[in-house]
Amino acid sequence: DVKVTQSSRYLVKRTGEKVFLECVQDMDHENMFWYRQDPGLGLRLIYFSYDVKMKEKGDIPEGYSVSREKKERFSLILESASTNQTSMYLCASSFENTEAFFGQGTRLTVV
Amino acid sequence: GEDVEQSLFLSVREGDSSVINCTYTDSSSTYLYWYKQEPGAGLQLLTYIFSNMDMKQDQRLTVLLNKKDKHLSLRIADTQTGDSAIYFCADREEYGNKLVFGAGTILRVKS
């Protein structure tokens, strides 16, 4: 079974903190994604990566950066967390042109 | 950019059929997906359909695709309380790796 693991289920951080959300997949997928999920807005793509060290901006990249140093790991970084980044963050991975597999999500609260 | 739209809420009685609808704008879609999200969990792939198909059946699930109208539906026969969840429609663009998601339809099953 494909496994996509996010390092935390719940996080509470203070405004201005630097926050790292980690995601690891064990299926050698080329593609990895970070989405945020907000009520009524569905899933919005923040960034995705199609290879090691390669990244592309999604629909809402502002306030975020990413890192993909190894194929299995994709990190989402909030350089200076703000309250409007309180959300559910979902990581996913896929092969080329196949369905995406999701992690269990990280609920981040910024206070 | 591409857009995927769904109604936000559907309520049905246990044992009835549920039909969740989705419309999309991308005429070059290759695959369309239905994902299910249970409370507190990530997204789980339910089923998918290739764009040259009209229908796909998988046990209690039937997916119908009207490519001319860019309309996708998911029918759940004999809906059970365990089917209560959020259902997301997603569209894969032809030459990319990205999935574009709808806002999600909350399905509530009354016993």
mmCIF file of all heavy atoms in Angstrom, chain A residues 5 15 33 77 88 94 98:
data_model
loop_
_atom_site.group_PDB
_atom_site.id
_atom_site.type_symbol
_atom_site.label_atom_id
_atom_site.label_comp_id
_atom_site.label_asym_id
_atom_site.label_seq_id
_atom_site.Cartn_x
_atom_site.Cartn_y
_atom_site.Cartn_z
ATOM 1 N N THR A 5 2.997 10.019 4.651
ATOM 2 C CA THR A 5 2.968 10.309 6.087
ATOM 3 C C THR A 5 3.336 11.760 6.325
ATOM 4 O O THR A 5 4.371 12.247 5.858
ATOM 5 C CB THR A 5 3.978 9.400 6.825
ATOM 6 O OG1 THR A 5 3.678 8.039 6.527
ATOM 7 C CG2 THR A 5 3.886 9.620 8.326
ATOM 8 N N THR A 15 2.215 33.512 15.934
ATOM 9 C CA THR A 15 2.421 34.437 14.819
ATOM 10 C C THR A 15 3.891 34.818 14.732
ATOM 11 O O THR A 15 4.521 35.125 15.739
ATOM 12 C CB THR A 15 1.574 35.699 15.021
ATOM 13 O OG1 THR A 15 0.201 35.317 15.141
ATOM 14 C CG2 THR A 15 1.716 36.653 13.855
ATOM 15 N N PHE A 33 2.889 17.075 -3.656
ATOM 16 C CA PHE A 33 2.031 18.264 -3.646
ATOM 17 C C PHE A 33 1.758 18.698 -2.211
ATOM 18 O O PHE A 33 1.632 17.863 -1.315
ATOM 19 C CB PHE A 33 0.666 17.953 -4.287
ATOM 20 C CG PHE A 33 0.736 17.305 -5.644
ATOM 21 C CD1 PHE A 33 0.916 15.933 -5.778
ATOM 22 C CD2 PHE A 33 0.619 18.064 -6.790
ATOM 23 C CE1 PHE A 33 0.985 15.331 -7.022
ATOM 24 C CE2 PHE A 33 0.681 17.471 -8.041
ATOM 25 C CZ PHE A 33 0.863 16.111 -8.161
ATOM 26 N N ILE A 77 7.214 25.139 4.120
ATOM 27 C CA ILE A 77 7.783 26.069 5.107
ATOM 28 C C ILE A 77 6.948 27.341 5.131
ATOM 29 O O ILE A 77 6.685 27.940 4.070
ATOM 30 C CB ILE A 77 9.247 26.403 4.751
ATOM 31 C CG1 ILE A 77 10.062 25.101 4.674
ATOM 32 C CG2 ILE A 77 9.849 27.352 5.790
ATOM 33 C CD1 ILE A 77 11.254 25.183 3.773
ATOM 34 N N MET A 88 -6.091 23.373 7.379
ATOM 35 C CA MET A 88 -5.689 21.975 7.266
ATOM 36 C C MET A 88 -4.758 21.881 6.067
ATOM 37 O O MET A 88 -5.099 22.354 4.972
ATOM 38 C CB MET A 88 -6.913 21.085 7.047
ATOM 39 C CG MET A 88 -6.584 19.668 6.659
ATOM 40 S SD MET A 88 -5.951 18.694 8.025
ATOM 41 C CE MET A 88 -7.479 17.945 8.581
ATOM 42 N N SER A 94 2.211 11.298 -6.315
ATOM 43 C CA SER A 94 1.702 10.505 -7.439
ATOM 44 C C SER A 94 2.832 10.220 -8.414
ATOM 45 O O SER A 94 3.857 10.900 -8.438
ATOM 46 C CB SER A 94 0.572 11.252 -8.165
ATOM 47 O OG SER A 94 1.095 12.290 -8.980
ATOM 48 N N THR A 98 -1.080 9.760 -12.889
ATOM 49 C CA THR A 98 -1.922 8.816 -12.141
ATOM 50 C C THR A 98 -2.562 9.552 -10.975
ATOM 51 O O THR A 98 -2.271 10.721 -10.723
ATOM 52 C CB THR A 98 -1.127 7.622 -11.597
ATOM 53 O OG1 THR A 98 -0.187 8.116 -10.629
ATOM 54 C CG2 THR A 98 -0.382 6.902 -12.713
#
